């Protein structure tokens, strides 16, 4: 089965001015959505319910719980009304690949394990749509695109996800 053949192609729109080329219709950027406005308690309950199995006691699930908790602790210290507001105010989106240095400031020498914790929490926040990093930020990440896609597949109704996965692996 070819996922590309089944994905709906974007529809070009005609430019109102003759001297300008055809453009793709831009996606409307929402200011707020219900997932980003959830309380910490509700958000944690929803994300852990979706992406962990408490009965399994897997090391992966323990890391997800710990990473989510630490990242939310840091985001709560940032200004803003929603998780998205806090993400943007933190400077993490603008920091690109080096974003994980921000929640770890002041901890001395940072090892890989410490850097992985906020990244693991971020996978849940992105897949659970609590935050929506910019496309520029997403494209600069060398990490976890496949992990995010795996979590997203379980929760989003996305017809074009096969195209995104193929583009990432190509």
């Amino acid at each position: 089965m070819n996922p590309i053949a089944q994905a709906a192609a974007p529809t070009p729109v005609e430019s109102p001015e003759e001297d300008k080329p055809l453009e793709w219709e831009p996606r409307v950027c929402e200011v707020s959505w219900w997932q980003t406005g959830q309380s910490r308690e509700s958000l944690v309950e929803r994300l852990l319910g979706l992406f962990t199995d408490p009965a399994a006691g897997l090391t992966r699930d323990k890391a997800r719980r710990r990473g989510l908790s630490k990242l939310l602790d840091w985001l709560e210290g940032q200004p803003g009304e929603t998780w998205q507001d806090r993400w943007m105010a933190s400077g993490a989106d603008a920091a690109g690949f080096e974003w994980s240095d921000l929640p770890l400031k002041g901890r001395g020498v940072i090892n890989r394990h410490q850097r992985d914790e906020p990244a693991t929490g971020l996978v849940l926040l992105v897949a659970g749509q609590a935050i929506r990093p910019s496309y520029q930020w997403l494209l600069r990440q060398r990490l976890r695109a496949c992990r995010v896609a795996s979590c997203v597949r379980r929760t989003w109704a996305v017809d074009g996800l096969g195209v995104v996965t193929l583009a990432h692996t190509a």
Side-chain angles (χ1 to χ4, degrees):
M1 178 160 87
N2 183 351
I4 293 178
Q6 294 183 356
T11 308
V13 294
E14 291 186 33
S15 176
E17 300 174 28
E18 289 183 29
D19 62 333
K20 292 198 175 194
L22 291 177
E23 297 179 4
W24 298 106
E25 181 107 22
R27 188 175 181 185
V28 176
C29 186
E30 297 177 82
V31 176
S32 188
W33 53 95
W34 71 268
Q35 295 97 327
T36 195
Q38 282 189 291
S39 69
R40 179 181 176 139
E41 183 179 305
S42 297
L43 180 64
V44 168
E45 182 179 341
R46 182 174 65 84
L47 295 180
L48 293 182
L50 287 170
F51 303 117
T52 64
D53 180 4
L58 299 173
T59 303
R60 177 204 70 191
D61 289 352
K62 291 176 186 175
R64 286 180 173 181
R65 284 185 197 90
R66 190 173 49 251
L68 180 61
S69 178
K70 289 183 179 184
L71 189 56
L72 290 176
D73 288 347
W74 174 70
L75 284 171
E76 282 183 322
Q78 307 303 316
E81 295 295 316
T82 66
W83 298 109
Q84 180 71 17
D85 291 344
R86 295 176 187 123
W87 169 257
M88 297 306 289
S90 74
D93 202 80
F97 185 72
E98 302 299 323
W99 76 271
S100 62
D101 291 344
L102 298 173
L104 299 172
K105 275 187 182 175
R107 293 194 182 184
V109 178
I110 301 168
N111 63 36
R112 182 176 175 205
H113 172 74
Q114 290 170 311
R115 192 176 301 278
D116 284 347
E117 284 183 340
T120 301
L122 185 67
V123 169
L124 302 186
L125 291 176
V126 172
Q129 299 190 54
I131 64 167
R132 295 178 181 171
S134 66
Y135 286 125
Q136 184 178 17
W137 184 91
L138 288 168
L139 291 171
R140 291 194 324 227
Q141 301 308 303
R142 289 180 264 162
L143 58 120
R144 327 213 185 298
C146 289
R147 285 176 43 188
V148 172
S150 172
C151 288
V152 165
R153 247 188 231 105
R154 295 173 52 192
T155 58
W156 294 8
V158 180
D159 293 335
L161 190 61
V163 175
V164 173
T165 303
L166 285 176
H168 172 72
T169 57

